[in-house]
Amino acid sequence: MQTTELGHTGTQISRLALGAMQMGNATSEPDSIHILNRYLEIGGSFLDTADCYEWWATPGSRGGESEELLGRWLRAGNHRDEVFLATKGSALPVHSPELWAADGTPDWDRARRTFAGGGATVLRDALDGSLRRLGTDHVDLYYIHVDDRVTPLEETLETLAGFVRAGKVRHLGWSNVYTWRLERIRRLCSRHGWPLPVAVQQQHSYLRPNGSYVSVSNAEQLDYLAEHGDQTLVAYSPILKGIYDDPAKRAGHSAMSAYAGPDSDARLAALTSLAGDLGVTPNQLVLAWMMHQDAPTAIPLIGPRTIEQFEAAVPALDLKLTPEQLELLS
């Protein structure tokens, strides 16, 4: 497993990050532990979770199942010093029975209207809860999970700075955020001497978005991050729920809503052709392509639901692409 620097911090992080969103729910505890152990075995260390994972999986849940499972695994194997541990706050919705329909499906519209946000008290309580569930006195990276445009940025940033001063957090990050907000955050941090968020977690993949989606990194944001090497892009959903391997699966799939069009058709054709020439899957080729990017550097964050999905991603680590192959894909 190769590593790369997180921003300009001097801290090295794995070139492939492992997301634990489904661990403890869709992924059973035995399978989750198998994946975590296997990830360490191949040299990985960058683990990602959030306090809200996965409230939507069970009516009445307040999230935290993923953090609790990670906490048990960290303690059982004494793994805390072996991992770079990231979690997030601000995205847990206000509890209400109306968050779930009678059939148990979550009401995402209501959830998005009632996210906890980035207020000082909310974040303090969220971080303390995360530390308790994870069984640690600090996390290596703490994100604002959903950008809160109601709470003053000064309040959120000052609170986050306090977490760093207290030693509860080593580095800060921001997720699901527009580029103009990143610039405003940068200016406030510079003005007040607050620590700059050094990780930006967005949905990012090989396909280029065809519109402006706050959660998806567009051309402007990629250009901004390429100009500001002190912030590293952490790319969630890098293989868009696995749609690259299966034309039937991506037909009408919700993951394609931000990408569908002739540009994507051309890129899919190039990707599929090269994957066939190399004897790899398109999903593996997307992960390898992303790990070759340096303008900006992008850390693919995989979130396998099964052991088989995890193992299917591993060969991407050994796939070396030539400049000509990278140019073809671009």
Side-chain angles (χ1 to χ4, degrees), residues 300-314:
L301 170 63
I302 59 171
R305 180 177 54 83
T306 66
I307 294 172
E308 292 74 20
Q309 289 174 353
F310 175 79
E311 293 296 343
V314 172

Side-chain angles (χ1 to χ4, degrees), residues 170-234:
R170 289 180 59 205
H171 305 291
L172 301 172
W174 221 276
S175 185
N176 301 303
V177 59
Y178 283 122
T179 309
W180 67 266
R181 290 277 288 179
L182 289 176
E183 179 61 16
R184 186 168 292 179
I185 289 165
R186 176 179 293 277
R187 292 188 181 193
L188 285 171
C189 288
S190 177
R191 182 185 306 163
H192 295 280
W194 294 325
L196 178 74
V198 294
V200 178
Q201 188 174 136
Q202 300 284 102
Q203 182 173 303
H204 177 61
S205 191
Y206 170 66
L207 297 185
R208 295 182 289 210
N210 56 27
S212 178
Y213 299 84
V214 63
S215 63
V216 181
S217 59
N218 57 19
E220 178 187 59
Q221 189 163 94
L222 294 176
D223 184 61
Y224 180 85
L225 293 173
E227 289 286 329
H228 296 88
D230 53 1
Q231 293 181 312
T232 296
L233 175 61
V234 179

